Amino acid sequence: LDPDPLRKRLDWGGTRRARAGAWSAPAMFGFTELEVRTYLILTLCGGLQILINQIEQPYARSLIVCDTPVNTTLGAEPSGSDHCGDRLHVIGEGARLSGGGDSLENCGRFIITLFVSGFADSHGRKAAAIVGWVFITASVFLFFLASFIKPWAKVFFIAAQGLQGMSGIGLIVEIVTRDIAAQIGGDTTAVYTRKNGLGMFLGFVFFGQVLYIQYAGITEFRPVWACILTFTLVVLVGLVAVFPETQAKENQQNKDRGSIVSIVKNEFGVYAGMLKNSQFMRCALLEGFFNNASGGFNIIIVPWMMAMFGYSQLELLMMMMPLAFLGFVFNGLVPGLCGKYGHRRMWTLCYWTDKIIDYGGIPFLTYSVGWMPVPVFIQYMRSPLGGMGNIVEASMAHLIDQKDSAKWAAMMQLNGFFTGSMFSFLFSRVFNPEATTQVGRLAPFMLANFIKIGAVVTYARGLHSLYLEATDKLTASASDSAAPAAEDSDKKKD
């Protein structure tokens, strides 16, 4: 009799196949065994975070209180709050509350990122993922608690977003993906394409749940948070029981890393040394600063369209729902065209096409194409370029040494969180839902695209040639991976 059959079923053959190439053996749908055990859980983590982030704004609006009574007449337009009947006031104050929470969330991300990469190096990726998900679980509990204690609801809301930022899950996903790409080898673009494709699929599933919440017109969120809290606990069990350790043994460090001050000092010392020795890192960090700063606009894009066009969040989400499906469909388009026309040519075409769409649409943002607001229409125009992210990530694998990948990911995360902590708050203050002039309405867009100019200049002057060299390496590695497959096919035909 087998004394522990469950352990062997959960083991997925890890101990029985501990030999060279075991992790890279195909498991299902083109995924290797290692990818199945890691991506399935990590994408569930990402999907849950998508769900939480998507309902944060309607939840924030439901907490707004004012003196205007709620119109309960049949067919009246809902304000989004059971405690305030002024729709534009609810939209504006809800955006400011969400923006303040997002700023604290980015502060939490900035702080935890100083430690999470070092912790992941010294204690392993699995331990870092478990600790991070404990913070997410605590965050969901505070959201749940806020629905019971109304006088402290806003405080709990902002604190919950801060705890969510302290998880570091996004950074752990990047570190684990680079570990997998290094262990599997071969076509790194395919590794990132599979990971992003699974993420988009689960994102589409969770997006459907968001739509249902919006369709139901929920203003009482206690059952919602109770369900999410239950699911986060299930994922935590999965991280403990199934998730493998992906860190290469030769890269493991001494677990005794000293005091908190010494950890932070060591981290910044490593970052300074990496920047000093790499032009790519210096320029990419600066480009990331400008892109992340302009990205602070994302916190108010949905409230902006609700105020400017009079749509509800449900109607806007229904318009944008096919984007998730198109992202999944087009995820492999750019990588596929790279195989036919070359990575270098497709890189240049996609980058500049994206920028033309960005700036060319500014004068028309307050108009509609039929019933669809131009900002949403622009996202549909950009959807075929979605697979460009796979090429960017794969290029990074050739531009940054594997031993520096965790630190580089942490540095870029810190960059994004630092800018997000400032610019999310700034954009929520620039947004005026009651603006009547064209300049007042477009002020957040104009600010975001003005900041992006810095990113374009940095790319053109310092990064363009380096990325093109990396794309040439991608083309070469893809050709090397395809050659043995072609030989096997010829042998089978013979």
Side-chain angles (χ1 to χ4, degrees):
L1 296 176
D2 191 336
D4 195 357
L6 178 61
R7 177 186 60 79
K8 286 191 175 182
R9 284 199 295 271
L10 292 176
D11 184 57
W12 282 66
T15 56
R16 289 165 289 169
R17 286 199 255 165
R19 60 182 185 269
W23 283 130
S24 59
M28 61 180 70
F29 302 116
F31 289 86
T32 63
E33 179 182 316
L34 180 60
E35 289 175 304
V36 170
R37 295 181 62 187
T38 53
Y39 292 166
L40 183 60
I41 296 177
L42 289 179
T43 49
L44 281 175
C45 293
L48 270 173
Q49 287 189 292
I50 290 173
L51 178 61
I52 294 170
N53 289 331
Q54 288 294 325
I55 67 174
E56 278 174 356
Q57 287 196 358
Y59 185 48
R61 289 193 291 272
S62 74
L63 302 176
I64 302 303
V65 179
C66 71
D67 296 331
T68 304
V70 177
N71 187 352
T72 57
T73 304
L74 183 64
E77 185 177 32
S79 65
S81 171
D82 289 338
H83 313 287
C84 180
D86 187 338
R87 181 175 181 272
L88 290 180
H89 178 79
V90 169
I91 291 174
E93 290 302 312
R96 291 183 180 89
L97 176 59
S98 184
D102 191 69
S103 293
L104 185 62
E105 182 177 343
N106 280 291
C107 287
R109 289 172 176 172
F110 182 87
I111 293 170
I112 199 63
T113 304
L114 293 172
F115 308 101
V116 70
S117 63
F119 186 86
D121 285 342
S122 62
H123 292 77
R125 295 8 177 174
K126 179 173 182 174
I130 292 172
V131 172
W133 199 248
V134 168
F135 279 108
I136 293 290
T137 306
S139 169
V140 173
F141 178 74
L142 277 184
F143 279 127
F144 182 51
L145 195 62
S147 63
F148 288 92
I149 309 176
K150 296 297 183 181
W152 290 85
K154 291 185 179 180
V155 174
F156 285 146
F157 178 91
I158 294 176
Q161 286 204 258
L163 281 175
Q164 189 178 349
M166 293 286 285
S167 69
I169 288 294
L171 176 59
I172 294 168
V173 171
E174 292 190 23
I175 294 172
V176 168
T177 304
R178 287 187 171 90
D179 289 343
I180 293 172
Q183 291 185 42
I184 293 177
D187 187 0
T188 53
T189 302
V191 174
Y192 286 100
T193 300
R194 289 193 295 268
K195 187 263 291 184
N196 292 335
L198 181 59
M200 289 178 184
F201 173 74
L202 288 178
F204 181 74
V205 173
F206 280 99
F207 193 69
Q209 298 178 21
V210 174
L211 284 178
Y212 172 75
I213 292 172
Q214 294 298 318
Y215 174 76
I218 293 174
T219 54
E220 176 53 70
F221 280 83
R222 291 178 188 178
V224 176
W225 290 118
C227 291
I228 295 175
L229 181 60
T230 302
F231 202 18
T232 56
L233 292 173
V234 172
V235 171
L236 183 60
V237 172
L239 284 170
V240 174
V242 180
F243 193 80
E245 178 56 61
T246 62
Q247 184 183 25
K249 292 183 178 180
E250 59 269 19
N251 292 333
Q252 293 178 357
Q253 301 176 0
N254 186 358
K255 294 187 178 183
D256 183 13
R257 292 179 56 86
S259 67
I260 292 178
V261 175
S262 65
I263 291 175
V264 176
K265 184 178 180 180
N266 179 67
E267 286 294 297
F268 278 109
V270 172
Y271 298 156
M274 291 169 61
L275 292 174
K276 182 180 179 180
N277 297 325
S278 173
Q279 176 191 344
F280 171 78
M281 289 186 178
R282 291 194 299 271
C283 293
L285 191 68
L286 183 60
E287 182 195 34
F289 172 83
F290 290 118
N291 283 329
N292 291 324
S294 65
F297 172 75
N298 294 330
I299 194 67
I300 55 97
I301 179 62
V302 171
W304 184 88
M305 288 191 289
M306 290 174 65
M308 295 301 116
F309 297 97
Y311 288 115
S312 67
Q313 184 162 334
L314 171 63
E315 291 169 326
L316 291 171
L317 288 176
M318 288 295 290
M319 292 180 198
M320 293 185 286
M321 184 177 179
L323 287 171
F325 177 72
L326 289 177
F328 178 73
V329 170
F330 287 125
N331 183 51
L333 176 61
V334 173
L337 292 174
C338 286
K340 184 175 182 179
Y341 298 105
H343 290 76
R344 172 185 284 257
R345 182 180 298 176
M346 290 305 302
W347 174 281
T348 303
L349 176 64
C350 292
Y351 181 87
W352 292 113
T353 300
D354 181 71
K355 299 308 172 188
I356 290 171
I357 294 174
D358 247 349
Y359 290 97
I362 294 177
F364 311 102
L365 293 174
T366 56
Y367 298 93
S368 298
V369 178
W371 45 266
M372 183 180 292
V374 166
V376 177
F377 181 74
I378 286 176
Q379 296 308 311
Y380 278 94
M381 292 177 62
R382 301 171 78 165
S383 58
L385 305 177
M388 180 67 176
N390 303 323
I391 310 302
V392 173
E393 291 178 317
S395 298
M396 291 283 190
H398 288 279
L399 290 165
I400 299 172
D401 291 337
Q402 173 62 21
K403 64 181 179 64
D404 295 328
S405 63
K407 300 297 183 185
W408 170 248
M411 200 187 312
M412 289 299 289
Q413 291 275 9
L414 283 172
N415 186 18
F417 302 151
F418 174 74
T419 54
S421 65
M422 297 184 297
F423 286 91
S424 291
F425 181 81
L426 174 62
F427 277 100
S428 69
R429 291 304 184 269
V430 172
F431 168 52
N432 178 12
E434 300 181 45
T436 56
T437 66
Q438 189 77 343
V439 173
R441 292 171 176 172
L442 290 176
F445 285 96
M446 294 169 66
L447 176 60
N449 283 278
F450 177 77
I451 295 172
K452 281 184 182 179
I453 294 175
V456 176
V457 172
T458 303
Y459 170 82
R461 293 181 63 86
L463 292 173
H464 182 65
S465 59
L466 296 175
Y467 271 122
L468 291 185
E469 291 176 6
T471 56
D472 291 338
K473 294 178 181 178
L474 290 176
T475 301
S477 64
S479 299
D480 293 341
S481 299
E487 292 178 2
D488 293 341
S489 178
D490 291 341
K491 289 180 181 179
K492 289 180 180 179
K493 289 179 180 179
D494 292 341

